[in-house]
Amino acid sequence: SELVELGETFSHTSELFRVTGAVHSCAVASCDRLLVFAEDIGRHNAFDKVAGLAIQQNLDLTDKIVLTSGRISAEIVGKAVVHRIPILASSAAPTAMGLQWARHCALTIVGFLRDGRMNAYTAYDRIIAERE
């Protein structure tokens, strides 16, 4: 439920996307709140911006989640691995090559994080399902 709530907060944070429909967003989050947010016309640039801001703020990324609005490609997975980010979540889909790299690197990939749902694709032991 925490990840779903983060996804909802993330999706409502980008005023520029609501106005233009033409930018990507990216955020670094703890399990309960967004810590750093950035947007750019390119999904790779949005990721680089948010990673740079997190480094400038001396955030330890090894226990954080990165949320993105773009496809999770092998290149995006590579960026997460370089920064030692354990969980990468998107409102969009992962690519097959992105999933292959994520499996190899034990990175948790969550896709289609929207409308109160999500798909966990790799290293899903980091995702704890709530029991009702």
Side-chain angles (χ1 to χ4, degrees), residues 38-128:
E39 40 195 4
D40 194 279
I41 193 78
R43 60 193 165 93
H44 292 95
N45 296 343
F47 189 105
D48 291 342
K49 283 180 177 181
V50 82
L53 290 168
I55 290 168
Q56 286 179 335
Q57 294 179 24
N58 294 316
L59 292 178
D60 176 9
L61 297 177
T62 62
D63 63 349
K64 303 297 184 287
I65 302 162
V66 167
L67 297 118
T68 181
S69 62
R71 280 187 333 272
I72 300 176
S73 64
E75 296 84 6
I76 297 294
V77 167
K79 291 173 186 280
V81 169
V82 165
H83 292 291
R84 300 178 48 192
I85 297 161
I87 301 174
L88 183 56
S90 178
S91 56
T95 66
M97 186 63 74
L99 291 177
Q100 184 177 355
W101 275 105
R103 276 187 207 96
H104 178 74
C105 297
L107 174 68
T108 300
I109 298 291
V110 172
F112 299 106
L113 178 61
R114 57 182 182 220
D115 302 324
R117 299 185 328 246
M118 65 182 184
N119 293 340
Y121 292 93
T122 59
Y124 28 84
D125 55 309
R126 289 189 183 101
I127 308 294
I128 301 168

